[in-house]
Amino acid sequence: MAESATAHRSEESLMLGGMARWDGIDFFGARYMSTAYRKRSGEIFVRVDPVSVWRPENLTVRRISGWPIIRSFFFWGQLLVQVGGSVWTLAYFVGSIAALWLIVRVLELGSGLGSLGGFLGFLADFPMLPLLVLFFAAMKLTATGRYHGAEHKAVAAYEKYGEVTMEKARASSRIHPRCGTNILIYIVIAAALEPIVPWWWYSIAQFILISELWFTFGRSRPSIAVGNLLQRYFTTSEPTSRELEVAVASINRLLEAEGGDPSVEIGTRVRIPARY
């Protein structure tokens, strides 16, 4: 199935999202999400589950949810629900928070080490810098970056051709304008302000700042250009056939579920024959 053209564009194309992991990919559609991973044995497994994100149907509520500031609460709330819907995604999120806390604690403890302490103290005030270095290293030196590239290629193939095959995905770009990498610049801006903003509640308010900057400037050419640069050199790598096969299998399974294919067993892990 991973090799064949099983997913065709419906009357209205889906807006698909995804998240790469070290061993696979999560894809998110309008009603369902797919979780795919490759075991060490080479076997590919895909599971499709309903998306638990709440979307307002009332026209008035929908308009209010698009107002500045309020839209940020909806954005982060939906993100938390989405993260909680996948065990692997939740583990990745919790791990990132734990890594940030650990880095800050280590840097704070080292801030009293003579001349080196001043530098470590600076990094403790701006923990986003060492965290970004570790994040970029993990993306480029592990399979996560290749799965991230495979995720983009699969989505790009669907958006361009209306179907996803190995050939079409391989020919597609690993750089995508809707990638979450594009929000990194706004995270850095918000994090840089934290040491100089005296308000204790800024640790919460910065999330609103990040999303509002994203909503306001995220689709601008400079923002997309910076995001594309980060994707090309830091957060994605060219996938091998092994990562691409997982992405193709996952997205096709998701599209089948979104299209109402009765053969898709929701909530059941399915083994997909692997060729690579």
Side-chain angles (χ1 to χ4, degrees):
M1 188 199 74
E3 187 73 29
S4 63
T6 59
H8 295 275
R9 188 187 301 267
S10 60
E11 294 181 2
E12 182 179 355
S13 296
L14 294 170
M15 183 74 74
L16 301 178
M19 180 174 179
R21 304 187 314 277
W22 66 275
D23 66 341
I25 302 172
D26 294 338
F27 280 110
F28 303 95
R31 295 181 299 156
Y32 298 99
M33 62 171 287
S34 62
T35 300
Y37 62 94
R38 183 188 290 273
K39 299 184 68 174
R40 291 185 178 180
S41 62
E43 295 177 300
I44 299 174
F45 290 91
V46 183
R47 176 184 172 121
V48 175
D49 293 291
V51 171
S52 56
V53 175
W54 175 76
R55 294 179 176 87
E57 297 182 0
N58 182 276
L59 183 59
T60 302
V61 176
R62 192 180 305 170
R63 287 176 178 174
I64 294 175
S65 68
W67 291 356
I69 307 301
I70 294 178
R71 62 188 176 185
S72 290
F73 286 96
F74 274 88
F75 172 79
W76 292 110
Q78 289 180 339
L79 181 62
L80 286 174
V81 172
Q82 190 178 67
V83 165
S86 167
V87 174
W88 287 107
T89 307
L90 181 61
Y92 186 88
F93 177 78
V94 173
S96 299
I97 299 298
L100 177 59
W101 177 85
L102 181 61
I103 289 173
V104 172
R105 290 296 301 155
V106 170
L107 292 174
E108 287 177 344
L109 291 174
S111 61
L113 299 177
S115 58
L116 182 61
F119 177 68
L120 295 178
F122 170 79
L123 293 180
D125 289 334
F126 296 92
M128 187 56 64
L129 296 177
L131 186 64
L132 281 176
V133 171
L134 293 176
F135 172 72
F136 290 149
M139 294 298 286
K140 296 301 291 186
L141 300 178
T142 71
T144 307
R146 297 194 297 274
Y147 275 117
H148 193 191
E151 170 209 327
H152 287 183
K153 281 176 170 286
V155 172
Y158 169 69
E159 293 174 343
K160 182 176 182 179
Y161 303 108
E163 61 178 6
V164 186
T165 65
M166 286 290 290
E167 290 76 15
K168 287 182 171 61
R170 189 177 285 114
S172 300
S173 174
R174 77 172 198 265
I175 311 302
H176 199 283
R178 292 201 318 274
C179 177
T181 296
N182 297 6
I183 203 173
L184 272 180
I185 182 63
Y186 305 112
I187 294 176
V188 171
I189 291 173
L193 292 175
E194 186 169 5
I196 60 177
V197 176
W199 308 309
W200 63 268
W201 49 265
Y202 180 70
S203 57
I204 298 175
Q206 65 179 319
F207 287 96
I208 297 177
L209 176 61
I210 291 168
S211 52
E212 287 304 314
L213 287 172
W214 168 252
F215 284 127
T216 304
F217 303 109
R219 296 184 180 181
S220 65
R221 288 186 178 181
S223 179
I224 292 176
V226 172
N228 289 350
L229 181 70
L230 292 173
Q231 291 178 57
R232 184 176 301 279
Y233 295 107
F234 297 103
T235 65
T236 70
S237 297
E238 195 65 28
T240 68
S241 295
R242 289 175 61 83
E243 291 87 28
L244 203 59
E245 186 178 34
V246 174
V248 172
S250 181
I251 197 171
N252 276 331
R253 197 70 177 172
L254 173 63
L255 291 171
E256 289 171 352
E258 292 286 353
D261 190 331
S263 67
V264 179
E265 299 181 31
I266 306 302
T268 301
R269 189 183 70 167
V270 177
R271 178 181 176 274
I272 306 296
R275 295 183 57 186
Y276 300 97

